[in-house]
Amino acid sequence: MPAADSPQSPGAPAAAPPHGDDAEEPQSGEAQLLRARIPAEAAGERLDKVLAQLFGAFSRSRLRAWCEAGLVSMAGAVAAPRSKARAGSEVCLQVPADPEAAAFAAEPLDLQLVWDDADLAVIDKPAGLVVHPAAGNWSGTLLNGLLARFPDSAGLPRAGIVHRLDKDTSGLMVVARSLRAYTDLVRQLQQRSVSRQYLALAWGLLAQPTWVDAPIGRHPRDRLRMAVVAGGKPARTRFSSLGSCTGAHGTVSALRCELQSGRTHQIRVHAQHLGLPLLGDPLYGRRAAPQLALRRQALHAALLCLRHPGSAQWMQWHSPVPADIVDAWRDQGGDPARLDCSAWSAAPAEEQA
């Protein structure tokens, strides 16, 4: 199997035009100052009702909320929703920026590419980078960076993103750069022929290699978490130990984790289910976890192996374990050499014999 361990070289829909001859058409997403003049026939009516006539691109409830927030003035004075409209007075509406409008905007980001060709790119994602825009993270995501780095990706579903890593999980991701590659990579993921292997640090001791075959679904009481639940989606993860050490806070194991499905938080949930919660994990870690210098879950996507959509050749890439995970392992008394993933291949060594 040839290796490739060295680098090679839409916005929101337009709003409907507002009513009123003096009204300016709003531009999606950006903060704006809109002006309109109250017609004679609207004199004496409630201002929020008149606003809906003047700025018809926005809902009345939204206009009322902006009015209550002090973003509407009439004749130069801040006006309340119940204010009486005065004929001929100028109304100014401050439209705040819409964060969702930035979701599909190109933003230059320092993306670390380990492979790049006409069909795909492999990215070594740092911890802290959100992959896809969502509530609370409408900009500065990997998707925004891809649109800037590869402008043609605007024509692909999700800018070519075919799988994700959690915000605070680091490591390798593949993204498509052509529609052919996107379709092929999705098929490979569905057929589970893409090998994704991770390095994790967990509290506890794993005596022998273990498969966890347990369905994952939304936690029945905490909607922010996933859990092993009856009726969840099938999920399968293989765990094997790379070594363990015992420090002041207990035993810690370095784990090699192989996905055979791709559920949300899968490794973190299955590790907890196995009694091996990850170091630094804020959702699934130990309840009384000691204070560590590590500020995120100790999970790194170290190996990616797939069949190239263009050449049909098997390719694999490695990513060295980041310094924060190595330091956390060393702080617990572990030997950093145990975390060397450079010799990993597409299947665990014991399964290749």
Side-chain angles (χ1 to χ4, degrees), residues 115-182:
W115 182 269
D116 174 25
D117 62 28
D119 285 308
L120 56 82
V122 176
I123 296 167
D124 201 341
K125 186 188 87 68
L129 178 62
V130 174
V131 170
H132 197 275
N137 293 284
W138 293 117
S139 62
T141 69
L142 175 63
L143 183 144
N144 300 117
L146 289 172
L147 290 170
R149 186 65 177 260
F150 307 118
D152 290 348
S153 65
L156 299 175
R158 296 182 178 179
I161 295 171
V162 294
H163 69 114
R164 304 186 191 186
L165 294 178
D166 295 337
K167 174 184 176 182
D168 289 325
T169 297
S170 55
L172 298 172
M173 287 184 59
V174 61
V175 296
R177 293 201 54 203
S178 67
L179 186 58
R180 173 187 68 175
Y182 183 90

Side-chain angles (χ1 to χ4, degrees), residues 153-237:
S153 65
L156 299 175
R158 296 182 178 179
I161 295 171
V162 294
H163 69 114
R164 304 186 191 186
L165 294 178
D166 295 337
K167 174 184 176 182
D168 289 325
T169 297
S170 55
L172 298 172
M173 287 184 59
V174 61
V175 296
R177 293 201 54 203
S178 67
L179 186 58
R180 173 187 68 175
Y182 183 90
T183 303
D184 188 79
L185 290 171
V186 169
R187 177 189 57 79
Q188 290 190 52
L189 287 163
Q190 290 173 340
Q191 293 180 349
R192 301 181 181 179
S193 61
V194 177
S195 180
R196 291 171 287 166
Q197 298 185 30
Y198 296 68
L199 183 286
L201 302 182
W203 297 107
L205 183 65
L206 181 66
Q208 60 185 15
T210 302
W211 283 102
V212 176
D213 195 342
I216 291 177
R218 189 68 59 182
H219 193 285
R221 293 181 300 278
D222 185 348
R223 305 306 293 173
L224 296 178
R225 303 172 64 192
M226 307 300 287
V228 171
V229 293
K233 294 182 178 180
R236 197 163 187 251
T237 313

Side-chain angles (χ1 to χ4, degrees), residues 201 242-248 250-254 279 325-339:
L201 302 182
L242 301 172
S244 63
C245 58
T246 301
T251 298
V252 175
S253 293
L279 270 66
I325 293 181
V326 175
D327 289 344
W329 174 246
R330 184 185 290 112
D331 289 345
Q332 299 302 311
D335 178 2
R338 295 280 189 174
L339 307 187

Side-chain angles (χ1 to χ4, degrees), residues 56-91:
F58 306 109
S59 69
R60 186 170 178 177
S61 61
R62 177 171 290 191
L63 289 165
R64 185 184 304 113
W66 288 340
C67 201
E68 291 172 347
L71 299 178
V72 176
S73 64
M74 180 172 57
V78 174
R82 293 177 177 272
S83 299
K84 299 298 182 182
R86 299 198 293 271
S89 295
E90 184 183 59
V91 174

Side-chain angles (χ1 to χ4, degrees), residues 3-9 113-118 120-122 149-150 177 308 315 317:
D5 291 322
S6 58
Q8 276 198 2
S9 280
L113 298 181
V114 298
W115 182 269
D116 174 25
D117 62 28
L120 56 82
V122 176
R149 186 65 177 260
F150 307 118
R177 293 201 54 203
H308 192 282
M315 305 185 75
W317 299 269

